[in-house]
């Protein structure tokens, strides 16, 4: 059995390294023109290995989104189910945005370029819907059935508005983003209470 040195234990695996590198390159060079070869070269990973891990940039985005999902899930405790639905969703979505802070510039570049590509945009929305379903479950809210679909789509819309606000703000304490998220959640809550009180 090969003994691991401290440096080898701390070395990121190829998957994580490629995700991190992709976000850094996106922040520097933009996302649209970036290819797997660029990411592999910057990660010092053979192209054959890189393509076996990530055959496309969309797969990298899905892996990154899954990593953010799991960060939120890992920080969710049973006692976080206390409080109102709005409070729980507020906490979860803010924790999601906080997890994105190290990659804010890269995320901004990806969002900017994805908006110009309808096919990429559709894929991103579908993937984001799955993430929002998980966020609902973290908040103790069912994402199943017709009501669940309504909740997922509603939360996706709220998240996209708040994400855009966050990407455009310069505040270091995220106070404007928190205010925007609270406002959006309150508006949705009032709407659902009036129109669909059982959803």
């Amino acid at each position: 059995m090969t003994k691991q040195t401290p440096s080898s234990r701390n070395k990121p695996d190829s998957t994580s390294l490629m995700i991190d590198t992709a976000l850094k390159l996106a922040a520097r060079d933009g996302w649209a023109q970036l290819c797997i070869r660029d990411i592999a070269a910057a990660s010092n990973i053979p192209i054959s290995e890189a393509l076996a891990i990530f055959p496309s940039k969309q797969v990298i985005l899905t892996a990154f989104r899954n990593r953010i999902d799991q960060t939120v899930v890992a920080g969710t405790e049973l006692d976080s189910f206390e409080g109102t639905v709005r409070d729980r969703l507020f906490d979860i979505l803010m924790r999601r945005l906080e997890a994105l802070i190290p990659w804010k510039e890269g995320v901004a570049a990806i969002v900017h370029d994805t908006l110009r590509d309808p096919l990429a945009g559709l894929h991103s929305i579908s993937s984001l819907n799955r993430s929002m379903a998980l966020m609902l479950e973290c908040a103790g809210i069912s994402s199943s059935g017709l009501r669940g679909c309504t909740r997922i789509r509603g939360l996706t819309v709220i998240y996209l508005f708040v994400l855009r606000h966050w990407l455009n703000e310069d505040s270091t304490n995220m106070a404007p983003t928190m205010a925007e998220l609270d406002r959006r959640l309150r508006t949705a809550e009032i709407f659902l209470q009036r129109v669909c009180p059982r959803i």
Side-chain angles (χ1 to χ4, degrees), residues 50-79:
L51 287 171
I53 299 170
F54 293 121
S56 73
K57 292 190 298 181
Q58 288 297 337
V59 182
I60 293 179
L61 290 185
T62 298
F64 175 65
R65 191 172 287 116
N66 289 341
R67 188 166 76 177
I68 298 300
D69 288 346
Q70 293 309 310
T71 298
V72 178
V73 170
T76 302
E77 303 292 343
L78 284 176
D79 59 9

Side-chain angles (χ1 to χ4, degrees), residues 50 78 88 92 109 145 166 171 183:
L78 284 176
R88 298 198 300 269
I92 285 168
W166 174 66
S171 173
R183 185 178 71 83

